[in-house]
């Protein structure tokens, strides 16, 4: 028996000679449901059947029921009929078809319509994207639909103009739950990619669970990446308010925020604080341990489904978990001279995998070191060579476990580091004429100290270098040495002081006027003061 004949018998339609002879000659009608074919239990639904203008009667049949399920005359002069279900139940779920009667006979059957009822007592499944809901353009992704309820199949639906569905048998996950993996791709920005999924039992294919939370894929492109920052600093205590700001010098219309390992992609409309700039604030507080992680943001335009390249990652660290307080100490002491080596020691008797060192007010992320065990301490040593006053400040350290790298211990007690004796504290020699009107004064940082020390030793005579090597062990520097140089715009004086440890501090001062230069640029030596011509490449004698 053919499928068409079987369906006709199920609908209870008589097949006279005329109808049988006309079968296949009339266009089949169109069947659809409003507001959709998946309806929650207790909600109304309307089924429409549409045919040609000469249609005189419409009949609706339901699979498994003999005889027509309902019949209707066309509404007014129009060519369609309305079949109403005021209260959707499991009894109404099933597969439907319709056909119409015209002066030429009965039409073919419409394509089947699957009417599904959602049962609130069935737990809704969850839907996630592997490895992430952020997908590069033309990339692929796997959508995972799962549940602890023993569903035999899962259905994935894609929202949009073309309502697409896929059905897969469930598989047992090692955790004990059931799931189905749906490969999706290539993903392009030509339209939006929003999905939901459902579960059902094999014995009741038209009785589904409620929908999962919708999952939207974010398609990232190559447009300029925005910047992500926070005003609170990288380490926060529980209960603090956390606001992340995504901003760009590209006028994006919206911004999205992603957190590594999660499926949420909150979006915010862009604000324009001034022409050519756009930004959005994401309020995430009050802070809890769930806020720890790595964040990125994206910019997008309202007329496109493609987003920008991701911002650089921003780590948010939450303190207080585990509830351990490490100790922080400093060697040789909390007050040191510029140029010395300082070691900050973070310790805990409770096992830690990593220690982090933070400086109060610093914009840089914390320093991280893997912990070492030296009984009875787990510890890490943070060494800073040739410190400068800029490295002075208040420090704290934290511990963390490798299983939760964004959750930190309680902070150690604050440690104040004072660095004294910087270049700005070094006096010039009495032979230095000092700055004149319009002088400028520049201090070279410790990054230049070793290079300048070597250059200064090359310029000194053998007796000078011998004196430096024989200097007594004392925190007091030797008598500063000064080099007087002529520049294209005036004069410069280089004054340096060195300790027996080998560390040197250098000060540069310039002036528009100075003493007369002997003809020919000849150098003149007086005591420890030297003078040299400055050429295009800098001082020839320094």
């Amino acid at each position: 028996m053919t499928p068409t004949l079987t369906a006709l018998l199920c609908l209870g339609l008589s097949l006279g000679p005329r109808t049988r002879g006309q079968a296949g000659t009339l266009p089949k009608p169109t069947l659809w449901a409003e507001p959709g074919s998946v309806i929650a239990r207790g909600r109304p639904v309307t089924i429409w059947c549409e045919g040609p203008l000469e249609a005189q009667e419409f009949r609706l049949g339901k699979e498994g029921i003999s005889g027509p399920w309902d019949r209707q005359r066309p509404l007014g002069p129009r060519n369609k009929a309305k079949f109403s279900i005021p209260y959707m139940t499991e009894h109404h779920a099933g597969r439907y078809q319709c056909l119409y009667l015209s002066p030429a006979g009965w039409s073919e059957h419409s394509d089947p319509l699957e009417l599904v009822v959602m049962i609130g007592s069935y737990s809704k499944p969850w839907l996630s994207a592997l490895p992430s809901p952020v997908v590069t353009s033309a990339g692929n992704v796997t959508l995972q639909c799962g549940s602890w309820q023993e569903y035999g199949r899962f259905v994935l639906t894609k929202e949009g103009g073309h309502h697409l569905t896929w059905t897969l048998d469930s598989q047992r996950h090692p955790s004990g739950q059931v799931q189905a993996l749906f490969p999706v791709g290539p993903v392009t920005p030509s339209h939006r990619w929003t999905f939901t999924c459902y579960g059902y039992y094999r014995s009741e294919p038209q009785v589904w669970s409620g929908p999962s939370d919708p999952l939207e894929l974010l398609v990232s492109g190559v447009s300029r990446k925005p910047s992500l920052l926070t005003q609170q600093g990288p380490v926060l205590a529980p209960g603090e308010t956390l606001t992340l700001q995504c901003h760009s010098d590209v006028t994006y219309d919206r911004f999205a925020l992603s957190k590594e390992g999660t499926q949420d992609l909150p979006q915010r409309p862009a604000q324009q604080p001034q022409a050519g700039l756009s930004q959005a604030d994401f309020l995430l507080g009050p802070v809890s341990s769930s806020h720890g992680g790595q964040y990125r943001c994206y910019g997008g335009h309202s007329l496109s489904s493609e987003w920008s390249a991701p911002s650089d990652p921003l780590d948010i660290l939450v303190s207080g978990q585990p509830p351990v307080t490490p100790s922080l100490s400093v060697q040789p002491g909390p007050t040191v001279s510029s140029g010395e080596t300082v070691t900050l020691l973070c310790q805990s008797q409770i096992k830690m995998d990593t220690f982090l060192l933070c400086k109060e007010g610093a914009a840089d992320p914390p320093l991280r070191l893997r912990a070492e065990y030296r009984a009875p301490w787990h510890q890490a040593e943070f060494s800073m060579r040739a410190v400068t006053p800029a490295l002075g400040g208040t420090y704290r350290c934290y511990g963390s476990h490798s299983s939760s790298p964004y959750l930190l211990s309680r902070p150690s007690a604050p440690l104040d580091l004072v660095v004294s004796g910087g270049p700005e504290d070094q006096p010039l020699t009495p032979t230095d004429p000092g700055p004149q009107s319009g002088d400028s004064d520049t201090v070279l940082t410790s990054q230049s100290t070793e290079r300048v020390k070597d250059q200064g030793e090359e310029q000194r005579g053998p007796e000078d270098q011998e004196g430096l090597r024989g200097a007594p062990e004392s925190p007091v520097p030797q008598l500063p040495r000064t080099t007087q140089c002529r520049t294209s715009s005036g004069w410069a004086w280089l004054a340096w002081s060195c300790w027996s440890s080998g560390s040197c501090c250098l000060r540069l001062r310039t002036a528009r006027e100075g003493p007369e230069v002997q003809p020919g640029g000849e150098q003149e030596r007086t005591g420890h003061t030297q003078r040299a011509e400055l050429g295009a490449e800098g001082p020839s004698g320094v």
Side-chain angles (χ1 to χ4, degrees):
M1 183 178 294
T2 65
T4 301
L5 181 58
T6 303
L8 286 171
L9 291 177
C10 289
L11 289 171
L13 304 177
S14 60
L15 294 176
R18 180 181 176 185
T19 301
R20 186 179 294 108
Q22 296 289 338
T25 60
L26 297 176
K28 61 183 179 182
T30 303
L31 185 65
W32 72 96
E34 292 180 352
S37 60
V38 180
I39 306 296
R41 191 177 191 277
R43 305 295 297 176
V45 60
T46 300
I47 300 176
W48 293 92
C49 185
E50 183 177 26
L53 290 175
E54 59 268 21
Q56 300 171 343
E57 180 183 340
F58 289 91
R59 293 187 179 182
L60 181 68
K62 182 172 182 287
E63 187 178 67
I65 296 179
S66 60
W69 191 79
D70 196 3
R71 65 183 72 193
Q72 295 287 339
R73 294 283 182 181
L75 295 175
R78 292 177 292 179
N79 56 337
K80 59 183 178 181
K82 176 181 179 183
F83 301 90
S84 297
I85 301 175
Y87 191 94
M88 184 71 181
T89 65
E90 295 88 333
H91 169 72
H92 300 102
R95 183 182 295 243
Y96 292 84
Q97 286 181 297
C98 75
L99 73 170
Y100 62 88
L101 176 65
S102 72
W106 288 101
S107 70
E108 293 185 48
H109 285 78
S110 67
D111 292 332
L113 168 69
E114 195 100 13
L115 198 60
V116 173
V117 60
M118 294 184 296
I119 304 299
S121 58
Y122 290 6
S123 63
K124 68 179 184 181
W126 45 263
L127 181 62
S128 61
L130 301 176
S132 167
V134 180
V135 187
T136 57
S137 183
N140 299 305
V141 67
T142 298
L143 301 187
Q144 181 183 41
C145 185
S147 174
W148 289 104
Q149 198 155 343
E150 299 285 333
Y151 295 123
R153 290 189 176 94
F154 289 100
V155 180
L156 181 71
T157 66
K158 180 180 180 298
E159 299 178 7
H162 300 284
H163 196 78
L164 303 176
T165 62
W166 300 265
T167 303
L168 286 178
D169 291 341
S170 65
Q171 303 291 331
R172 180 73 61 181
H173 188 269
S175 64
Q177 62 191 1
V178 292
Q179 66 174 28
L181 301 177
F182 296 87
V184 176
V187 177
T188 63
S190 57
H191 51 86
R192 300 210 169 173
W193 299 76
T194 304
F195 298 86
T196 53
C197 76
Y198 306 81
Y200 68 83
Y201 297 103
R202 296 173 188 267
S203 59
E204 298 177 304
Q206 286 92 28
V207 181
W208 292 4
S209 70
S212 68
D213 293 333
L215 172 66
E216 181 178 2
L217 300 181
L218 189 152
V219 185
S220 66
V222 295
S223 58
R224 189 182 308 173
K225 66 182 180 182
S227 298
L228 183 62
L229 55 86
T230 175
Q231 299 296 332
Q232 289 86 349
V235 181
L236 294 99
E240 289 189 60
T241 298
L242 172 61
T243 300
L244 301 184
Q245 183 181 92
C246 189
H247 66 95
S248 175
D249 56 4
V250 177
T251 52
Y252 290 117
D253 300 317
R254 53 186 176 146
F255 290 96
L257 182 70
S258 71
K259 181 188 175 189
E260 187 178 47
T262 66
Q263 301 293 316
D264 293 334
L265 291 170
Q267 299 182 22
R268 299 288 185 272
Q271 306 294 324
Q272 293 189 356
Q274 63 185 68
L277 300 179
S278 57
Q279 68 181 47
D281 292 337
F282 294 85
L283 179 63
L284 304 182
V287 170
S288 67
S289 59
S290 64
H291 290 97
Q294 189 172 86
Y295 293 80
R296 291 178 173 85
C297 73
Y298 305 79
H301 299 285
S302 57
L303 299 180
S304 173
S305 296
E306 185 174 26
W307 294 77
S308 71
S311 68
D312 292 333
L314 174 66
D315 290 347
I316 296 299
L317 308 173
V318 180
S319 64
Q321 293 292 332
V324 176
T325 303
S327 62
L328 182 62
S329 59
V330 59
Q331 292 294 334
T335 302
V336 296
S337 298
S338 181
E340 290 191 56
T341 296
V342 173
T343 299
L344 297 176
L345 179 63
C346 190
Q347 295 178 304
S348 171
Q349 288 188 323
I350 306 298
K351 183 180 184 302
M352 292 288 153
D353 299 315
T354 305
F355 286 102
L356 297 88
L357 181 67
C358 299
K359 182 186 176 189
E360 191 173 285
D364 297 329
L367 299 176
R368 289 177 178 263
L369 281 180
R370 184 172 296 278
E372 296 181 354
Y373 182 65
R374 297 180 183 176
W377 299 98
H378 299 269
Q379 64 183 41
E381 296 182 353
F382 297 86
S383 295
M384 297 181 286
R385 298 179 58 189
V387 296
T388 65
L391 293 174
T394 301
Y395 290 84
R396 293 176 175 85
C397 76
Y398 302 80
S400 72
H401 293 140
S402 57
S403 58
S404 304
Y406 302 103
L407 300 182
L408 308 185
S409 70
R410 296 167 181 159
S412 67
L415 186 149
D416 293 328
L417 178 65
V418 178
V419 182
S420 62
E424 64 273 17
D425 297 330
Q426 298 301 320
L428 295 177
T429 62
T431 58
D432 186 355
Q436 307 296 321
S437 176
D439 294 358
S440 65
D441 195 353
T442 302
V443 176
L444 303 186
T445 62
S446 62
Q447 285 83 351
S448 304
T449 300
E450 293 298 326
R451 176 177 58 84
V452 173
K453 183 189 71 172
D454 294 339
Q455 293 171 340
E457 290 177 353
E458 292 175 3
Q459 185 171 344
R460 296 190 188 96
E463 69 281 4
D464 297 332
Q465 296 191 23
E466 184 65 31
L468 177 60
R469 286 192 293 269
E473 295 293 337
S474 171
V476 180
Q478 295 181 8
L479 180 65
R481 300 174 181 271
T482 302
T483 299
Q484 178 179 303
C485 308
R486 184 177 181 180
T487 69
S488 59
S489 59
W491 290 85
W493 292 266
L494 298 174
W496 65 83
S497 299
C498 296
W499 284 262
S500 58
S501 63
S503 299
C504 293
C505 295
L506 178 68
R507 186 176 186 180
L508 172 66
R509 308 187 75 176
T510 60
R512 289 196 298 269
E513 297 180 358
E516 292 290 331
V517 181
Q518 295 181 3
E522 184 179 356
Q523 296 188 8
E524 176 185 2
R525 293 180 57 92
T526 304
H528 292 291
T529 302
Q530 300 180 12
R531 186 175 65 197
E533 290 287 346
L534 281 179
E537 300 301 325
S540 59
V542 179

